[in-house]
Amino acid sequence: MTATVSVTTRSRTQMQDITGPVQQAVSETGVGDGLCVVYVPHTTSGITINEGADPAVCTDIIAKLNQLVPANDGYGHMEGNADSHIKSSLMGSSVTILVENGRLVLGTWQKVFFCEFDGPRSRKVYVKVVAERG
Amino acid sequence: MTATVSVTTRSRTQMQDITGPVQQAVSETGVGDGLCVVYVPHTTSGITINEGADPAVCTDIIAKLNQLVPANDGYGHMEGNADSHIKSSLMGSSVTILVENGRLVLGTWQKVFFCEFDGPRSRKVYVKVVAERG
Amino acid sequence: MTATVSVTTRSRTQMQDITGPVQQAVSETGVGDGLCVVYVPHTTSGITINEGADPAVCTDIIAKLNQLVPANDGYGHMEGNADSHIKSSLMGSSVTILVENGRLVLGTWQKVFFCEFDGPRSRKVYVKVVAERG
């Protein structure tokens, strides 16, 4: 009852629209109404919901995060990805989306974005749907 | 089984306490124990839980977000609300609250706040309650 | 069906690994598959999921939050913890984790951290598990 969505990223920091595969996973559960949780099991990536129409929105989000949390800033964690961990906690490890009639209930402009902060890498995302009433 | 709460904001950036209408929506579902998800279908607003007793707390949150993510900062998104999108992802698109005996389980000082980042506007928030055991 | 985990913090800002007690609470519910919500009922603390192997990761997160949101910064809230409230909203008041076969589904490096922003204090965290299908 938990689906896994694979994500392949191409840059160190990148937001990738995964709305399609998440909807696919929801459809396969057969659940009509409930909650969908999209969960990232990594500590140097995150997940968020934002506008998908203009790619500049994602570019702006990434640029601002890079400005507030630069890759090099005297961190104690010596693996070169301390900033990635911090960005991960700022965006969060999961999003929760309502499901009705088997469809994600997203706003007109909303898409689900996997946020890569230490790529490029092969990543995965878990999708689980819990029915509203058993 | 999903309720819609309407929110009318009066400023470009503003936090509005919606705890009352959210509790009302929860009560109307008749669910005793479970989870309540409050979801914002917009990409230039967010939602958070914080202190409701002193209005200065919300003023401070908004001021800090405006300082870290100014309205004008050389963004690529040209609609004048790039900062609103970034703030939306920093606050998040939903909060999840426990429900017991039909009541939101909030801490003493906690209130649920709709966060407007590109107002004034007419907005809506979805409220769904999933029962603990069907 | 809601467990309470007690947390005692020793510093003003501190991240404390509570993965063990959260798993214990999940085990005691007897739920095999579903969602676990870990909820903080305080407005000057938060919760996040991040790396637990190198303590420097948490130190870096705390240091960056303290840099972006200093303890003193001309805030309007006069209780000396305006920054704590802001940090609370940046980290968030809950995390949601998948549960399978009675176990939290965490990534290899993931741990659940209570984030103290106005300690030292005695705190509590609520843990609720909702079954996937009643």
Side-chain angles (χ1 to χ4, degrees):
Chain A
M1 295 296 289
T2 298
T4 301
V5 169
S6 295
V7 183
T8 304
T9 58
R10 294 155 290 116
S11 309
R12 185 168 192 275
T13 51
Q14 177 191 346
M15 286 172 65
Q16 187 157 326
D17 182 354
I18 58 170
T19 313
V22 170
Q23 175 59 60
Q24 173 81 4
V26 170
S27 298
E28 287 170 4
T29 66
V31 174
D33 293 275
L35 297 178
C36 170
V37 173
V38 188
Y39 184 89
V40 174
H42 310 290
T43 57
T44 53
S45 57
I47 192 154
T48 196
I49 292 172
N50 217 301
E51 189 196 298
D54 179 6
V57 169
C58 288
T59 308
D60 288 335
I61 293 172
I62 290 288
K64 176 53 74 176
L65 287 174
N66 285 340
Q67 179 198 326
L68 295 176
V69 189
N72 299 296
D73 201 19
Y75 303 112
H77 183 57
M78 301 303 287
E79 297 179 18
N81 59 4
D83 65 307
S84 321
H85 288 291
I86 298 168
K87 289 162 181 163
S88 173
S89 278
L90 285 174
M91 287 296 100
S93 54
S94 72
V95 292
T96 302
I97 307 165
L98 311 192
V99 176
E100 290 193 334
N101 301 313
R103 307 291 303 175
L104 295 168
V105 181
L106 293 167
T108 310
W109 305 104
Q110 287 184 321
K111 299 288 181 186
V112 184
F113 289 96
F114 177 84
C115 304
E116 176 64 82
F117 296 127
D118 190 30
R121 292 216 207 180
S122 292
R123 301 286 205 174
K124 60 187 176 183
V125 172
Y126 300 139
V127 180
K128 198 182 197 65
V129 183
V130 170
E132 191 164 338
R133 289 177 182 273
Chain B
M1 294 295 291
T2 298
T4 301
V5 169
S6 295
V7 183
T8 303
T9 58
R10 294 156 289 118
S11 309
R12 184 167 192 274
T13 52
Q14 176 192 347
M15 287 172 66
Q16 186 156 328
D17 183 353
I18 58 170
T19 312
V22 171
Q23 175 60 58
Q24 173 80 3
V26 170
S27 298
E28 287 170 3
T29 66
V31 174
D33 294 275
L35 297 178
C36 170
V37 173
V38 188
Y39 184 89
V40 173
H42 310 290
T43 58
T44 53
S45 57
I47 191 154
T48 197
I49 292 172
N50 217 303
E51 188 196 298
D54 178 7
V57 169
C58 288
T59 308
D60 288 336
I61 293 172
I62 289 288
K64 175 54 73 175
L65 287 173
N66 285 341
Q67 178 197 326
L68 295 175
V69 190
N72 298 296
D73 200 20
Y75 303 112
H77 184 59
M78 302 303 288
E79 296 178 18
N81 59 4
D83 65 308
S84 321
H85 288 291
I86 298 168
K87 289 163 182 163
S88 173
S89 279
L90 285 174
M91 287 296 100
S93 53
S94 72
V95 292
T96 302
I97 307 165
L98 311 192
V99 175
E100 289 193 335
N101 301 314
R103 306 292 303 175
L104 295 168
V105 181
L106 293 167
T108 310
W109 306 103
Q110 288 185 320
K111 299 290 181 185
V112 184
F113 289 95
F114 177 84
C115 304
E116 176 63 81
F117 296 126
D118 191 30
R121 290 214 207 182
S122 293
R123 302 287 206 172
K124 59 188 176 183
V125 173
Y126 300 138
V127 181
K128 198 181 196 67
V129 183
V130 170
E132 190 164 339
R133 288 177 184 276
Chain C
M1 293 296 289
T2 298
T4 301
V5 169
S6 294
V7 182
T8 303
T9 58
R10 292 155 290 117
S11 309
R12 185 167 192 275
T13 52
Q14 176 191 348
M15 287 172 65
Q16 187 157 328
D17 183 354
I18 58 169
T19 312
V22 171
Q23 175 59 59
Q24 173 81 4
V26 170
S27 299
E28 286 170 4
T29 65
V31 174
D33 293 276
L35 297 178
C36 170
V37 172
V38 188
Y39 184 89
V40 174
H42 310 289
T43 58
T44 53
S45 57
I47 191 155
T48 196
I49 292 172
N50 217 302
E51 190 196 297
D54 179 6
V57 169
C58 287
T59 309
D60 288 336
I61 294 172
I62 290 289
K64 175 54 74 177
L65 287 174
N66 285 340
Q67 178 197 325
L68 295 176
V69 190
N72 298 297
D73 200 19
Y75 303 112
H77 184 58
M78 301 304 287
E79 296 179 18
N81 59 5
D83 65 307
S84 321
H85 288 290
I86 298 169
K87 290 163 181 163
S88 173
S89 279
L90 285 174
M91 288 296 100
S93 54
S94 72
V95 292
T96 302
I97 308 166
L98 311 191
V99 175
E100 290 193 333
N101 301 314
R103 306 291 303 175
L104 295 168
V105 182
L106 293 167
T108 310
W109 305 104
Q110 287 184 321
K111 298 289 182 188
V112 184
F113 289 96
F114 177 84
C115 305
E116 176 63 82
F117 296 127
D118 191 29
R121 291 215 207 182
S122 292
R123 300 287 205 172
K124 61 187 176 183
V125 173
Y126 300 139
V127 181
K128 198 182 196 66
V129 183
V130 170
E132 190 163 338
R133 288 177 184 276

